[in-house]
Amino acid sequence: MTQPLRLSDKGLFVPLRDGETYFNYHWLRDACPSTIDPQTRERVFDISSLEAGPQARAAQIDGDTLVIDWATEAHQTRLPLEQLQAFADNGRKPDPADLPRNLWYSDGYDSFRRVRQADAVNTDEGRAALARALVEDGVALVTDMENSDDSLTRLVNCLGPVTPSAEGDHFEVRLEIAPTNLAFTAGPLEMHTDLPGEEMAPGVQFLHCRENTVEGGRSLFLDGAAVAKALREEDPEAFDLLASHDIPFFYRHDGWDYRAHQRVIELDARGNVAGVTLSQHLQDDIDLPQDLLDDYYPALCKFIRMMQQDRFLCRFRLNAGECIVFDNHRIVHGREAFSAESGARHLRGCYTDRGATWSTYRTLAAKGVTGVQTAQSKAA
């Protein structure tokens, strides 16, 4: 039995779980399954080609499907009510990677999800576990890493292609006589996110510990989203300043000169914290109006000081055979100083794109592999 619907000039009303819900005609016509090529999965319909805006001649519910006969063209659209309900519930298309974030604090290291390299590289379950951990927690530890140059590349490729930076496809974190980066010294490394001077700062970072026998040099990690949440609760004016203005960053040495403006606190379309960007050693002279800086600088300093507080900061030793993987737009990291004469310390690093990582998780989730059980297990 069919049920006719109430029509208006620019849209129609569909009876859904919470009552009549309005949908725009342009949106409904664009959402028609026939607009997507089944082979390329790309849109092949140009809505601007219609001489007049789409308007329904008639619309009805047929079982679990909305059926629209268009007045402006000889075409019928059939849309599952389930699809419309999902948009009504979320305001957007359902996304398997749109998972709640698990904020963590100073005791977070013990809860970092552990995945063996062989599982991540060779099994869908391991890949899904690693990708899901990065979406939810922003960080994971890959264990039992093979000690070779291509070991890291194989791990990265299980999530996406290597994203090059000014240092190339990979970089080696170890002592250098003429370092191009403070990371290549034995000194302490302040809390930061990597390479904000690049227009598109790296998305997911990998640090494979090849050797670590030095005294000192503990890794420092914190959840930037957790610190931003605390700032929003404790000082909303400071939070708004850092979330509303871009400031300049750089990365320059012989042969390169990168410059970009970034927002210290990034918000998504819903107003939630999407990420943080922080690096005092790569921060350029802030070019905001001087009177605005009267308030901006105290807000920035407060945020930086919060990142030094014990309630947020994890301190741990990264051991040979481990690779820490983390979201460079959320996780803030640093390092304690170490004794250069006490041993050797060598980390091999590189990046991949956040979009590639999220894409990997979506394709695995579409196959029913969500990484839930594997991701919750810990290495012995």
Side-chain angles (χ1 to χ4, degrees), residues 124-152:
D124 283 350
E125 290 78 8
R127 282 203 301 154
L130 178 57
R132 187 184 183 104
L134 292 170
V135 174
E136 291 185 321
D137 305 330
V139 64
L141 269 171
V142 177
T143 62
D144 302 322
M145 289 284 294
E146 176 188 298
N147 188 16
S148 65
D149 281 354
D150 68 343
S151 174
L152 180 59

Side-chain angles (χ1 to χ4, degrees), residues 246-318:
D246 296 339
I247 62 173
F249 295 91
F250 66 88
Y251 189 44
R252 50 181 172 258
H253 205 266
D254 294 342
W256 65 75
D257 185 347
Y258 287 84
R259 307 183 194 189
H261 283 72
Q262 312 284 0
R263 204 155 290 193
V264 172
I265 297 177
E266 308 160 17
L267 302 181
D268 64 19
R270 302 170 182 171
N272 299 321
V273 175
V276 298
T277 298
L278 191 75
S279 180
Q280 289 192 83
H281 61 274
L282 294 177
Q283 180 185 302
D284 217 334
D285 298 335
I286 299 181
D287 49 12
L288 297 174
Q290 293 295 313
D291 56 347
L292 177 58
L293 292 178
D294 292 343
D295 296 317
Y296 187 90
Y297 256 116
L300 178 61
C301 290
K302 181 171 186 174
F303 195 45
I304 294 170
R305 286 194 295 268
M306 288 178 71
M307 292 192 175
Q308 299 164 356
Q309 294 176 1
D310 288 340
R311 57 174 168 156
F312 297 113
L313 201 56
C314 283
R315 298 175 174 88
F316 58 91
R317 184 178 185 84
L318 194 62

Side-chain angles (χ1 to χ4, degrees), residues 217-238:
R218 285 188 301 178
S219 297
L220 309 175
F221 275 74
L222 61 78
D223 186 346
V227 184
K229 178 178 181 291
L231 179 67
R232 187 177 227 169
E233 294 170 349
E234 298 170 17
D235 192 340
E237 291 80 10

Side-chain angles (χ1 to χ4, degrees), residues 109 212-219 315-319 322 344:
Y109 174 73
N212 190 6
T213 59
V214 298
E215 296 177 3
R218 285 188 301 178
S219 297
R315 298 175 174 88
F316 58 91
R317 184 178 185 84
L318 194 62
N319 300 305
E322 295 177 334

